[in-house]
Amino acid sequence: MSDSLVVCEVDPALKEKLRKFRFRKETDNAAIIMKVDRDRQMVVLEEEFQNISPEELKSELPERQPRFVVYSYKYVHEDGRVSYPLCFIFSSPVGCKPEQQMMYAGSKNRLVQTAELTKVFEIRTTDDLTEAWLQEKLSFFR
């Protein structure tokens, strides 16, 4: 049932930004942080970052409000290969207002489909977002 539940649409400008971000040529870590605009019932761009580490990204996320993040991360595989996976991170901190939690949870699938992402992760506290955590999550994708 939650697959078909859509609470918020994705802002057309954000769709275009995500499309361009997907095909970016830069090799540094970069992130797009998105939030739900309750009045417009829409997922909108909050902030963009270039050359940002997981630890720096963590400090940009609110501790008591959910956020969506698309993160382009330079990942060095065990065999030395380098890839740049796009990760979707849903930050859903414990202690958020239930109404806010539901708006974000109900909008997540549409946003993941719009951005055409397959590496989808969730954190319940911003402290979880570390380089080690991200590398562990990505190690499942060969």
Side-chain angles (χ1 to χ4, degrees):
M1 177 172 160
S2 66
D3 285 345
S4 60
L5 174 68
V6 176
V7 177
C8 299
E9 291 299 321
V10 180
D11 182 9
L14 177 59
K15 284 182 186 177
E16 180 60 19
K17 179 146 317 263
L18 289 168
R19 191 189 67 73
K20 286 181 176 168
F21 191 73
R22 181 180 186 78
F23 297 108
R24 67 192 285 275
K25 302 281 187 254
E26 294 81 4
T27 57
D28 60 339
N29 295 344
I32 292 178
I33 299 178
M34 297 155 284
K35 66 180 182 179
V36 168
D37 178 335
R38 274 184 39 192
D39 298 334
R40 292 171 52 207
Q41 295 240 319
M42 196 167 278
V43 179
V44 297
L45 174 70
E46 182 174 55
E47 226 170 328
E48 261 186 289
F49 296 95
Q50 299 294 324
N51 198 17
I52 185 168
S53 72
E55 283 71 20
E56 291 166 328
L57 180 57
K58 169 176 45 181
S59 70
E60 296 296 335
L61 294 173
E63 287 182 26
R64 301 236 185 284
Q65 293 180 341
R67 286 295 183 271
F68 299 121
V69 179
V70 175
Y71 190 43
S72 176
Y73 176 69
K74 182 178 180 177
Y75 181 59
V76 181
H77 297 261
E78 288 178 11
D79 62 7
R81 289 176 301 121
V82 176
S83 64
Y84 301 90
L86 279 183
C87 306
F88 182 89
I89 302 168
F90 176 29
S91 172
S92 175
V94 179
C96 295
K97 294 178 184 156
E99 174 194 338
Q100 206 177 26
Q101 200 86 323
M102 299 235 332
M103 284 186 88
Y104 276 83
S107 305
K108 180 182 125 187
N109 289 338
R110 168 67 55 88
L111 186 54
V112 168
Q113 288 168 347
T114 299
E116 298 179 39
L117 299 173
T118 55
K119 294 164 182 68
V120 180
F121 312 124
E122 188 169 335
I123 54 174
R124 298 295 287 165
T125 169
T126 54
D127 290 341
D128 290 346
L129 184 55
T130 64
E131 190 122 20
W133 173 85
L134 191 55
Q135 289 179 351
E136 178 190 327
K137 293 290 186 191
L138 289 171
S139 70
F140 292 107
F141 298 91
R142 300 240 175 257

